Amino acid sequence: LKPFKNAGKRRELYLDKDQRRALLEAASDDIRPFIKGLCLMPLRPGALAKLTVGQFDARTRTLTIGKDKVKKPRQITLPPVVGDFLNELAKGQKASAPLFRQPGGLAWDKDTWKKPIKQAVLDAGLPDDATAYTLRHCVITDLVRAGLPILTVAQLAGTSVVIIEQHYGHLVRGDAELALASIAI
């Protein structure tokens, strides 16, 4: 087995919130909910695409992410703004229906989301190498920068603490410096 090219490499492209808003505005109505989901949760695009309506419990705002790269399901509790968004997507749909769906009701997949996301990237004037996976990186970066414990970020993202430290640990160096400065006597 050979590893995926650049799979172990730190991702450098980061889209700030204004750039992500521009991406959403530039996106077609069909792909916009999928992109918004990627902007709101630190999920892999494939995991987001596989979500069904039945995996979201609107009452508790709990989302069960099925078998992802880590091969075991996990649950995350979402804030009201994300819960309301998912509730709108789920409204009137069967539990087995894709939560994020193309026109016609089929789930998105890498072959169907690539072109509309690439078009939105171009229309928004963003760097050409921005992809669906870039949005996962941006959300994880924001969570780390917000001071969320790395263990919690890893659990939300469905990855290990080691991977978060390897790929995002550099983002908290300044925070460590500030913390050390705050205890100086």
Side-chain angles (χ1 to χ4, degrees):
L1 296 174
K2 294 181 180 179
F4 288 107
K5 183 180 178 187
N6 297 327
K9 185 177 152 192
R10 180 186 296 168
R11 294 180 179 271
E12 299 298 334
L13 179 59
Y14 172 78
L15 303 176
D16 63 31
K17 288 182 181 180
D18 288 337
Q19 289 173 306
R20 285 179 262 164
R21 283 186 197 100
L23 179 64
L24 282 169
E25 289 173 15
S28 69
D29 291 342
D30 296 340
I31 193 70
R32 189 174 296 120
F34 185 72
I35 293 173
K36 185 172 180 177
L38 291 170
C39 289
L40 294 173
M41 298 174 281
L43 303 182
R44 292 175 183 88
L48 188 78
K50 290 177 187 171
L51 290 174
T52 63
V53 169
Q55 290 174 275
F56 173 61
D57 183 340
R59 186 180 55 82
T60 61
R61 294 186 326 273
T62 302
L63 184 64
T64 301
I65 295 98
K67 291 181 181 177
D68 194 2
K69 189 176 179 181
V70 292
K71 305 284 189 244
K72 57 183 176 180
R74 68 185 188 282
Q75 286 189 328
I76 58 175
T77 302
L78 303 166
V81 66
V82 180
D84 292 346
F85 168 63
L86 296 183
N87 202 33
E88 280 299 311
L89 294 177
K91 196 178 290 182
Q93 300 294 317
K94 292 182 180 180
S96 60
L99 190 55
F100 294 90
R101 53 196 169 276
Q102 303 176 59
L106 295 175
W108 290 99
D109 62 44
K110 65 180 169 137
D111 295 324
T112 57
W113 77 57
K114 277 185 180 180
K115 285 183 182 177
I117 289 178
K118 181 52 74 181
Q119 188 61 54
V121 164
L122 294 172
D123 291 347
L126 299 174
D128 289 347
D129 52 346
T131 65
Y133 208 90
T134 301
L135 299 173
R136 170 180 161 83
H137 164 70
C138 296
V139 172
I140 293 171
T141 298
D142 288 348
L143 293 172
V144 170
R145 291 298 303 144
L148 196 63
I150 287 181
L151 173 61
T152 305
V153 175
Q155 290 169 335
L156 289 171
T159 193
S160 69
V161 170
V162 170
I163 293 296
I164 296 294
E165 287 175 340
Q166 285 175 348
H167 294 267
Y168 303 93
H170 66 287
L171 298 172
V172 295
R173 286 190 193 125
D175 297 342
E177 182 181 344
L178 290 173
L180 287 170
S182 74
I183 61 171
I185 50 174

